[in-house]
Structures are given as structure tokens and as C-alpha cells.
Amino acid sequence: MDLLTIGWIGIAALVTLIMIGVPLAFAIGVVAILGNITVANYAQTSLQLYQVTFHLTTEFVLTSVPLFIFMGQLVSSGGIGRDLYEVVHKWLGRLPGGLAVTSVVSCAGFGAVTGISAAAVATLGTIVMPEMKRYGYSDRLAAGSLASASTLAILIPPSLAMVVYGIWTSTSIGKLFIAGIIPGIFVTVVYSTYIIGACIANPKLGPRSDYFPLAERVRSLVKLLPGQGAFFSLIG
């Protein structure tokens, strides 16, 4: 059997496994292993599988992955996410669509601490969505702002996705972190500007929230200290 035929069979098998609900990682693994056995032999495939597995599982940088997950749980359970949201809400809540803008900025700040998008959604979703419903926000704006802003954790350093990408492609993770700063800030500003513009054009989408005196807003900045400490610790 020629290599082209084996390739087409492998693609068909992969698509079939995915369509019947097999998890993507297992589907790719099964097709790759069986394909290697067909093209080469069992002994060579076993050796390659051992070498790749040993190399990836002993990569020192991968020790950061469970620490990212731990940081996400710590921030979620320790109230840092709620404190961050409250501070941003007091400063930006009076803008048109202020709660939606608050969710965007909070997700950006959350991503700078945890580096995991799912952690931002799980933590801020339970805080932001009830508040938006209470103020009569559009469901589409509320869900859309939170869902889109949660992806900022991928861009803003430290990012778990950048760590994994850097390992797979032998790219400097430090340079990846630096490269994500400006795009992360830019996307945050673009999201916020769009929300403000949409709510100015149609105030029913997202009304302004409560006004907080300047003194109270300044005092609230103290609550950012734990998050800042976690950020610098994680970067270090």
C-alpha cells in the first residue's frame, strides 16, 4: 500500500473517530500510532513513542502548568476576582455600558493573574451576569462581552497557552509574554470602545450603573494589592 493511500485512510479514520465522539487527543493518538506501525514497524513506533513521551513529560517549563491551574483556583476561591471586579466597577461603572466594560477590563486583569480563560469565565461569570440582569442589560451584550473578553487571558502575560506554544515550537516564552502585552491592551481597549459606542447609540443595551464618590474609588484601590502581588509572583 502506497503512502498516499495510507494518508487518506488515516484522514478518513480520524474524521470518523471525531464524528462518533472520540476525544480529539485520543483520536489523533490512535491514528498516528497505527499509521506509524503501518509505515515503519512496531519496534520503531514503540521507540519513537517512548522518546517523545519522555521528552515532553520531563520538560522543566511544564512544571508551570499545574501552578497556573493552582493560581486560577486560588484567585477564584480567595475572592481576588470579586475584589478586582468591584474596584473596576467603581471606576468605570458610570460609563455607557459600564458593567460590560467592567467585565472586559476585569477579564483582562484576571488573565494577567491566572493566564487561563476558563478561570476568568467561571469566576467572573457568576459575578457579572447577575449584576447585568439587575440593571436590565441586553442578554446578547452581557453574554457576548464576557465570552469575548475571557479570551484575553491567552494574550495577556502570563499566558498558559504561550507557555505550551513556546515549548512545542522552541520559542522563547519570555519573548512571547512581551509580545502579548500590546495586543492584549489593544484588544481590551477595542472591546471597551465598541461597547461604549454601542450603548451610546442605543442606551437600552447597557445603562450606566451607580455613581461612587472619588474618595471611595481611591480607597478601593487597596483591594488590588493581592492581585498585583500574585501577578508579580507568577511572572517571577
Side-chain angles (χ1 to χ4, degrees):
M1 187 180 300
D2 63 285
L3 295 179
L4 183 60
T5 303
I6 295 175
W8 280 113
I9 293 175
I11 293 174
L14 177 62
V15 172
T16 302
L17 290 174
I18 294 173
M19 290 180 65
I20 63 177
V22 177
L24 186 60
F26 293 107
I28 294 175
V30 168
V31 172
I33 292 173
L34 294 179
N36 270 339
I37 293 175
T38 303
V39 173
N41 54 64
Y42 179 78
Q44 183 175 343
T45 301
S46 300
L47 180 61
Q48 289 179 345
L49 183 61
Y50 166 76
Q51 290 177 337
V52 170
T53 304
F54 179 82
H55 172 70
L56 291 178
T57 55
T58 55
E59 182 69 51
F60 174 73
V61 184
L62 281 178
T63 58
S64 65
V65 174
L67 295 179
F68 270 103
I69 298 173
F70 172 73
M71 183 63 72
Q73 289 295 324
L74 182 65
V75 172
S76 177
S77 303
I80 295 178
R82 178 174 291 276
D83 289 343
L84 173 64
Y85 170 79
E86 289 179 359
V87 174
V88 178
H89 177 211
K90 289 180 179 180
W91 282 91
L92 303 179
R94 288 298 294 171
L95 294 172
L99 286 177
V101 175
T102 298
S103 68
V104 171
V105 177
S106 298
C107 282
F110 205 92
V113 177
T114 64
I116 305 174
S117 298
V121 175
T123 302
L124 293 176
T126 58
I127 303 172
V128 174
M129 294 305 291
E131 284 293 301
M132 290 192 184
K133 289 184 178 180
R134 185 165 70 91
Y135 280 92
Y137 271 61
S138 163
D139 291 338
R140 295 179 62 183
L141 177 65
S145 60
L146 181 62
S148 57
S150 64
T151 60
L152 291 170
I154 298 175
L155 280 176
I156 297 176
S159 167
L160 179 59
M162 288 185 181
V163 172
V164 176
Y165 177 83
I167 294 172
W168 285 352
T169 61
S170 299
T171 306
S172 169
I173 296 175
K175 291 181 179 179
L176 288 173
F177 281 177
I178 294 173
I181 295 175
I182 294 178
I185 296 174
F186 177 76
V187 174
T188 302
V189 173
V190 169
Y191 284 170
S192 302
T193 303
Y194 173 80
I195 292 171
I196 293 172
C199 292
I200 290 176
N202 184 5
K204 293 183 179 179
L205 289 176
R208 302 171 189 263
S209 62
D210 300 329
Y211 171 77
F212 296 93
L214 179 60
E216 183 177 351
R217 284 182 280 167
V218 173
R219 286 196 301 268
S220 69
L221 294 176
V222 177
K223 294 184 178 181
L224 294 180
L225 294 179
Q228 290 177 346
F231 170 76
F232 288 113
S233 299
L234 191 59
I235 287 292

